[in-house]
Amino acid sequence: MDRAASAQRGRHRGAHRDPLGVTFTALWGLGNLAALVLLGTAAQHQLGTEHQFAAPPAHALPDRAPTA
């Protein structure tokens, strides 16, 4: 039996990894993590204590004269 055949026979299914596939998987994971962080930051901002109530009305002149 030659040495190359015995080396291939002992290799596990996941032993050979495609480096490009690993890179794309890492980028995909980082992109999902960044999206979750941005969504969490936006939710935290919306639910913050300073934004719980509606903004007060603006103190400006009306667009037209009152009818009454």
Side-chain angles (χ1 to χ4, degrees), residues 3-45:
R3 185 172 243 174
S6 65
Q8 285 288 21
R9 190 168 33 134
R11 183 175 292 206
H12 292 284
R13 187 183 301 177
H16 176 68
R17 300 267 183 205
D18 181 22
L20 191 60
V22 171
T23 303
F24 284 144
T25 302
L27 286 174
W28 175 80
L30 287 174
N32 282 332
L33 183 64
L36 287 175
V37 167
L38 287 173
L39 286 172
T41 303
Q44 197 75 9
H45 178 72

Side-chain angles (χ1 to χ4, degrees), residues 57-62:
H59 299 289
L61 296 174

